[in-house]
Amino acid sequence: QVQLVQSGAEVKKPGASVKVSCKASGYTFTSYYMHWVRQAPGQGLEWMGIINPSGGSTSYAQKFQGRVTMTRDTSTSTVYMELSSLRSEDTAVYYCGRVQGVIMPIDYWGQGTLVTVSS
Amino acid sequence: SYVLTQPPSVSVAPGQTARITCGGNNIGSKSVHWYQQKPGQAPVLVVYDDSDRPSGIPERFSGSNSGNTATLTISRVEAGDEADYYCQVWDSSSDHGVFGGGTKLTVL
């Protein structure tokens, strides 16, 4: 069965970086794109970017350009999202979600990773 | 950038019909997907490509999309439908994903 398993919760200080992983199983890793979406406490879903695990190409939301990097490791079927220069407003649950094509829906989501930024 | 607008909240009595709208410029030309999210859980896809339902989603959930408005309709609303609902599209002009702000459905 399809599973997206994310890494555990993180606590970071302002200015630091965080790297969240999303390990895929149960399907052909390179056949599906992966979105990253975050949700601040009590807020809505916010799209961060997308990566094509096949070639590694990415597209990032303007808001995160220069601070976010999405990568993949095809040998372990894992995608990564690294966010740098963290500030308190980055405190959120970060989700990965797979799509078969960019206009298609997210049919499977990871369980979410809570990143807390606090001094 | 492309913007999707949803009402913050919708309230409906059990057994009635809830309609949640998602407004966007010429959204009728895009494929709209809808997600349900309950507290502490990841979102779940309930309608995709404007009006299709994933397996396991009740027929009570339906969708439409035309002009500048897409609509998620939940018929015969049940207490278990109380959740936040989000619309989502892919904006091909910017190669970005976009989510609406979300609508909290309250079952009275």
Side-chain angles (χ1 to χ4, degrees), chain A residues 1-116:
Chain A
Q1 74 283 21
V2 174
Q3 282 193 303
L4 301 177
V5 179
Q6 298 184 221
S7 48
E10 303 261 14
V11 179
K12 296 292 183 181
K13 293 194 181 304
S17 296
V18 68
K19 192 170 186 177
V20 180
S21 67
C22 171
K23 183 173 175 60
S25 62
Y27 70 96
T28 302
F29 177 66
T30 52
S31 295
Y32 289 77
Y33 295 74
M34 199 74 77
H35 287 283
W36 284 93
V37 177
R38 78 176 188 179
Q39 186 170 38
Q43 303 301 307
L45 302 175
E46 181 175 29
W47 186 79
M48 298 183 68
I50 190 169
I51 182 169
N52 180 352
S54 178
S57 61
T58 56
S59 176
Y60 302 138
Q62 194 71 24
K63 175 177 180 176
F64 302 104
Q65 285 277 1
R67 280 210 304 146
V68 70
T69 304
M70 296 176 187
T71 57
R72 93 293 190 212
D73 182 343
T74 56
S75 69
T76 60
S77 299
T78 303
V79 296
Y80 300 91
M81 187 284 300
E82 184 170 21
L83 189 62
S84 63
S85 302
L86 290 170
R87 34 212 189 226
S88 58
E89 309 89 88
D90 294 317
T91 294
V93 175
Y94 290 76
Y95 294 101
C96 60
R98 75 160 203 178
V99 290
Q100 194 164 22
V102 292
I103 69 167
M104 299 182 75
I106 300 173
D107 58 357
Y108 283 91
W109 296 73
Q111 82 276 19
T113 297
L114 175 61
V115 175
T116 302

